[in-house]
């Protein structure tokens, strides 16, 4: 028999629907991201790493944390992107023992092209008003525990 405590743990129908919709959004995003990456002759992992590095140079360990993979995997990805001239390794100015991976000018251009080729980011969101997009952004931030 369900007690008030166990009954409150069961998600209501609306919560289940929202979770299902979030799952569909994530699946669609990943599918289109993989397509966009392939359009630039990149794997999804290479594209994600390049996108991160287009924002700022990062040490390999932090890249591995952000990509949720082993540092040895990041090394291989950086090697392949470096061979294509999209990424370079450089010493960290704060600690010369640490190597940073950084996007080259060409790498930043490719990363911009990736972002611009994501239909998912443009088409469905374009159908929402500015107020709806702000509300959606704010709700997602709250869900992720990020006020800023």
């Amino acid at each position: 028999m369900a007690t008030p405590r166990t009954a409150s743990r069961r998600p209501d129908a609306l919560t289940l629907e929202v979770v299902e919709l979030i799952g569909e959004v994530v699946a669609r995003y990943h599918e289109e991201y993989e397509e966009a990456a392939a359009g630039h002759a990149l794997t999804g992992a290479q594209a994600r790493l390049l996108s991160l590095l287009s924002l700022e140079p990062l040490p390999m360990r932090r890249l591995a944390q952000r990509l949720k993979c082993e540092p040895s995997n990041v090394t291989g990805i950086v090697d392949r992107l470096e061979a294509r001239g999209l990424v370079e390794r450089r010493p960290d100015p704060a600690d010369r023992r640490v190597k940073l991976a950084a996007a080259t000018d060409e790498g930043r251009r490719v990363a911009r092209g990736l972002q611009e080729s994501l239909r998912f980011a443009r088409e469905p969101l374009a159908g929402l008003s500015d107020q709806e997009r702000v509300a959606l952004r704010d709700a997602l931030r709250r869900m992720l525990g990020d006020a800023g």
Side-chain angles (χ1 to χ4, degrees), residues 81-141:
L81 292 173
E82 191 173 35
R84 289 187 53 191
L86 302 176
V87 167
E88 64 185 8
R89 289 176 169 91
R90 58 172 80 141
D92 184 340
D95 183 348
R96 310 259 320 147
R97 296 168 298 174
V98 175
K99 289 283 187 197
L100 297 177
T104 62
D105 289 342
E106 177 66 7
R108 283 188 291 281
R109 188 191 66 71
V110 169
R112 274 192 308 277
L114 273 166
Q115 292 301 319
E116 291 168 2
S117 64
L118 289 173
R119 294 181 320 274
F120 180 76
R122 287 192 313 266
E123 293 171 6
L125 290 176
L128 300 177
S129 69
D130 286 348
Q131 183 178 1
E132 289 170 322
R133 283 183 286 153
V134 167
L136 177 60
R137 180 204 62 202
D138 293 348
L140 291 170
R141 283 181 173 173

Side-chain angles (χ1 to χ4, degrees), residues 29-68:
Y29 175 82
H30 282 295
E31 180 182 315
E32 290 195 13
Y33 200 87
E34 292 290 330
E35 287 176 19
H40 292 273
L42 297 169
T43 66
Q46 290 171 337
R48 285 187 291 280
L49 188 142
L50 187 58
S51 292
L52 283 172
L53 293 180
S54 73
L55 302 174
E56 64 179 327
L58 292 168
M60 304 290 233
R61 187 169 307 282
R62 182 138 358 117
L63 276 170
Q65 290 168 342
R66 294 227 183 130
L67 294 173
K68 297 180 180 13

Side-chain angles (χ1 to χ4, degrees), residues 6-18:
T6 58
S8 68
R9 289 186 183 169
R10 286 193 203 127
D12 59 89
L14 177 59
T15 299
L16 289 172
E17 183 181 5
V18 169

